[in-house]
Amino acid sequence: MASLRDIETRIGSTKKTSQITKAMQMVSASKLTRAEMNAKSFVPYMEKIEEVVEAIASATKDSGHPMLTSRPVKKTAYIVVTSDRGLVGGYNSNILRAVTKKIAERHTSKDEVVIIAIGRKGYEFFNRLEYNVVDSVIGISDHPQFSEVKDLAKRAVGMFTDGKVDEVYLYYNHFISAISNEATERQLLPLTDLSTASAVSTYEFEPSADVILETLLPQYAETLIYGAVLDGKASEHASSMTAMQTATDNATELIDDLTLLFNRARQAAITQEITEIVGGVAALE
């Protein structure tokens, strides 16, 4: 059985750990509020640009734009959004498990796959598995600006339009609530899932629909990537808050158990001392 000093030391260290996790929980909760607001406020812009792109695509069905045209798939790019740090519960493992599962289903060789990593954890994971990580961004801020992912997004779109890859998939954790997020896959390129039901009569294209489409489609794809990063950051902060709350609760439970163990050990020691004193007095009589 551990000594009283050992138990007391462990109680002290656990209390300090609990204070740290509690502070981290509060920081994550504060970051989550702003991250959630950023993600939700970006949704109307995404919906509007999607509406416009659908309208133009409907008006130029025979444009043959490469971003709207499927082709035989020889190589696929996966853009994977993860965190730079740990202590976020299952946030990273869920998305990495989803990506590797789909890669195993779709491909027979790693040569058919390239990875574009947003976040240190994804970058290190795929490098460790010896995948071809062709591009990455590490150190995204807690509240990302478009400028932080703009260049990577342009390069990803350029890889498709230049024919270096034939498909681009986007993987990120979609924020549902403070206690729930979902690993999400979205086919970024080609843009074959656009609805053509939008009424084009409400739009007048100047100079022409084809010219606007040439400029707007890359911006639309870049917007989807940025929206996924915002969504992922909200999920990351929520996962961190939940993980730290669980750690704090576990530490509190452990402190209670150790305190009970300490009291029992101290009571046993006191009883032992009384017994020895009584035994010594009896021996002297």
Side-chain angles (χ1 to χ4, degrees):
M1 186 176 183
S3 66
L4 288 174
R5 184 181 295 275
D6 291 339
I7 298 173
E8 194 171 18
T9 299
R10 192 176 177 193
I11 290 174
S13 63
T14 306
K15 284 182 177 179
K16 291 178 181 178
T17 301
S18 176
Q19 291 172 354
I20 294 172
T21 55
K22 181 65 175 178
M24 293 177 69
Q25 175 190 342
M26 295 175 66
V27 170
S28 295
S30 175
K31 290 179 179 178
L32 171 61
T33 301
R34 182 177 170 186
E36 183 180 359
M37 181 182 66
N38 290 341
K40 289 183 176 180
S41 63
F42 193 69
V43 170
Y45 172 77
M46 286 186 63
E47 291 177 344
K48 190 61 180 179
I49 193 173
E50 184 173 13
E51 176 189 330
V52 174
V53 168
E54 288 174 351
I56 300 175
S58 178
T60 57
K61 292 179 181 180
D62 301 324
S63 66
H65 194 284
M67 293 180 66
L68 296 174
T69 306
S70 298
R71 56 180 182 250
V73 178
K74 298 179 180 178
K75 184 167 288 190
T76 304
Y78 292 87
I79 302 175
V80 185
V81 181
T82 59
S83 70
D84 290 311
R85 300 179 294 270
L87 302 178
V88 288
Y91 173 82
N92 292 312
S93 59
N94 289 342
I95 197 68
L96 294 174
R97 189 184 305 114
V99 177
T100 51
K101 180 180 178 181
K102 284 297 182 181
I103 290 176
E105 292 175 358
R106 292 177 179 146
H107 308 284
T108 58
S109 170
K110 291 181 180 179
D111 294 334
E112 300 173 358
V113 176
V114 297
I115 302 295
I116 299 172
I118 300 178
R120 184 183 302 277
K121 292 299 181 180
Y123 175 80
E124 293 176 345
F125 175 82
F126 287 107
N127 269 319
R128 188 165 58 250
L129 294 182
E130 299 182 344
Y131 280 92
N132 183 17
V133 182
V134 296
D135 205 348
S136 63
V137 172
I138 295 174
I140 295 289
S141 63
D142 290 325
H143 307 294
Q145 300 297 316
F146 180 63
S147 58
E148 296 181 62
V149 297
K150 180 180 179 180
D151 292 339
L152 178 140
K154 282 187 175 181
R155 291 193 293 269
V157 173
M159 288 178 64
F160 179 82
T161 55
D162 293 342
K164 295 179 181 178
V165 297
D166 305 302
E167 282 183 326
V168 181
Y169 285 93
L170 181 61
Y171 279 83
Y172 62 98
N173 278 299
H174 170 56
F175 177 80
I176 298 175
S177 69
I179 59 173
S180 177
N181 57 73
E182 181 181 18
T184 301
E185 176 196 77
R186 179 161 190 168
Q187 181 173 323
L188 184 66
L189 295 167
L191 297 167
T192 55
D193 60 345
L194 292 175
S195 171
T196 57
S198 300
V200 300
S201 58
T202 58
Y203 293 94
E204 293 183 3
F205 306 116
E206 181 67 33
S208 69
D210 287 332
V211 173
I212 296 174
L213 195 67
E214 189 71 29
T215 302
L216 194 60
L217 280 179
Q219 293 181 356
Y220 174 60
E222 293 163 11
T223 296
L224 293 180
I225 295 174
Y226 180 54
V229 172
L230 291 178
D231 211 354
K233 274 297 178 182
S235 299
E236 178 186 338
H237 295 318
S239 296
S240 177
M241 182 187 70
T242 302
M244 292 303 99
Q245 181 178 358
T246 301
T248 302
D249 293 342
N250 290 341
T252 301
E253 184 178 345
L254 180 58
I255 290 169
D256 292 341
D257 293 340
L258 289 172
T259 301
L260 181 61
L261 181 62
F262 177 81
N263 291 336
R264 287 176 176 174
R266 184 174 61 179
Q267 185 63 45
I270 293 172
T271 302
Q272 179 66 26
E273 290 175 2
I274 293 174
T275 301
E276 291 174 355
I277 292 171
V278 171
V281 172
L284 293 174
E285 291 179 351

